[in-house]
């Protein structure tokens, strides 16, 4: 007996591989069937429409990214005992989960960019697009707030710093997806680290 | 007599409007003919293929953005006599030409994002995509170098700061195109200004 959830995830994987390679244009029911090794009837059995398949694949992409972040967060543990330099390193590693630094993340980020752009002309994907775009700024705000409370970071204007960090992350991801030779993984990490390091309260400062 | 260059620009305008509204999917020869008020034969007279039409429209988008930057630069004149706060304001205005802050810029940036993504799967557009992605980092490097030479800005690591500013600009543009309600023009400008203000050499510093 085939587990329905597992089969759906298997089909979503095929969608993501096709979209990462050739864009969403390349994702037809026929291509998904071929890529997943199923016949079109089976794909239709699990997804009533192309639209449902697209939503499921976009939902899967967002959920996998979130799951990676949660897992990484749990591995890291508390940062409150670390010196500021190490906090910057840990946060750089953590937020690098959103950057296309290896094959897995490259596929996910690429597909997410494709979906986000497709959602401009497809109101049926707008709630997921909002969730993804809002998600980055919410994550940035949480991290900056937590570090500000601990007295390690000193963001000048918290209202501006969260969208600024979100824009930097999305810009790095976008540039690295579009032109990997111009924006290498090493450069992405160096830029992110430099950005986070600027929040660190100067060494001489007394904490209030 | 119709001027060929003018007619080509007129057709390119139709491509840009269609692409900004519905994505590149929406750009067929038939749709371009209807949008430009010409018949398909006329469009074909100026562009041998869909591919040539796409290249010309992408070229036009890049050239218009560049022309706006050059024009703005000439209007601004020398920044070397201005106090640092005003330099930040002038550079914010200047780089805002790359952000979708009004209808004209929104159309251009949206279409550029569509083209850049399409270029992933279309080697015939790759040279233009490279040019656009490289262009932002080259511009960022020139601005930071000029300000560093004048002693007003103090970028910590010039190698990292240019790609960082480029990623911030592209990230703001990308987020504002995808979800305008989540990333307002006011927020884009505030974020860009805060970023540039961080380069300013602290007031107490002596210049070497």
């Amino acid at each position: 007996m085939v587990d329905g959830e597992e089969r759906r995830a298997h089909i979503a994987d095929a969608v993501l591989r096709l979209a990462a390679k050739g864009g969403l244009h390349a994702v037809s029911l026929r291509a998904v069937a071929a890529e997943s090794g199923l016949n079109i009837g089976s794909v239709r059995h699990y997804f009533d429409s192309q639209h449902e398949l697209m939503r499921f694949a976009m939902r899967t992409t967002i959920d996998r990214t979130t799951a990676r972040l949660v897992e990484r967060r749990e591995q890291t543990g508390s940062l409150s005992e670390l010196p500021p330099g190490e906090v910057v390193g840990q946060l750089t590693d953590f937020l690098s989960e959103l950057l296309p630094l290896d094959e897995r993340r490259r596929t996910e980020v690429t597909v997410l960019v494709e979906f986000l752009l497709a959602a401009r002309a497809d109101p049926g994907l707008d709630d997921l697009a909002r969730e993804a775009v809002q998600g980055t700024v919410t994550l940035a705000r949480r991290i900056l707030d937590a570090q500000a409370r601990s007295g390690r970071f000193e963001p000048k204007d918290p209202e501006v710093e969260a969208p600024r960090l979100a824009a930097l992350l999305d810009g790095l991801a976008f540039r690295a997806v579009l032109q990997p030779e111009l924006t290498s993984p090493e450069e992405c990490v160096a830029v992110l680290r430099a950005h986070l390091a600027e929040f660190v309260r100067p060494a001489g400062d007394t904490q209030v």
Side-chain angles (χ1 to χ4, degrees), chain A:
Chain A
M1 222 177 86
V2 181
D3 173 18
E5 272 315 294
E6 210 174 279
R7 183 53 65 88
R8 283 166 71 94
H10 175 73
I11 296 170
D13 275 330
V15 172
L16 302 193
R17 282 196 303 274
L18 289 170
K21 229 184 308 168
L24 291 180
H25 283 276
V27 183
S28 63
L29 274 179
R30 182 177 302 276
V32 171
E35 177 77 21
S36 62
L38 301 168
N39 58 50
I40 294 191
S42 298
V43 176
R44 282 228 181 83
H45 173 73
Y46 290 101
F47 297 98
D48 284 341
S49 64
Q50 173 88 0
H51 178 74
E52 208 200 317
L53 183 55
M54 286 295 139
R55 273 193 70 85
F56 185 75
M58 189 168 179
R59 176 81 270 160
T60 301
T61 311
I62 296 174
D63 288 350
R64 285 187 189 167
T65 307
T66 308
R68 269 212 325 274
L69 285 165
V70 169
E71 191 187 347
R72 174 77 84 147
R73 185 70 200 84
E74 282 166 1
Q75 282 166 2
T76 308
S78 169
L79 301 179
S80 64
E81 302 301 314
L82 297 177
E86 273 185 50
V87 171
V88 167
Q90 294 277 0
L91 289 175
T92 302
D93 285 353
F94 177 67
L95 289 171
S96 293
E97 289 295 337
L98 297 173
L99 300 176
L101 305 185
D102 55 24
E103 206 46 41
R104 191 168 61 143
R105 281 175 281 182
R106 169 163 296 279
T107 299
E108 275 181 30
V109 177
T110 303
V111 170
L112 197 57
V113 169
E114 291 274 350
F115 272 125
L116 289 172
L117 208 61
R120 287 204 319 116
D122 182 349
L125 295 174
D126 189 61
D127 58 329
L128 296 175
R130 263 188 95 82
E131 182 182 331
V133 173
Q134 181 66 51
T136 313
V137 77
T138 302
L139 181 68
R141 182 164 289 126
R142 273 197 206 135
I143 287 176
L144 294 175
D145 284 353
Q147 293 305 316
R149 272 197 306 275
S150 80
R152 290 149 181 294
F153 275 20
E154 191 175 49
K156 274 180 194 144
D157 179 349
E159 280 310 298
V160 169
E161 294 307 341
R164 185 172 163 228
L165 179 52
L168 186 85
L169 285 163
D170 284 355
L172 288 172
F174 185 55
R175 293 176 65 82
V177 160
L178 294 179
Q179 291 284 316
E181 295 95 46
L182 296 179
T183 306
S184 67
E186 294 71 30
E187 183 175 284
C188 284
V189 172
V191 166
L192 178 56
R193 178 173 289 125
H195 194 80
L196 292 170
E198 287 212 349
F199 291 119
V200 173
R201 184 189 282 268
D205 265 28
T206 45
Q207 294 188 15
V208 186

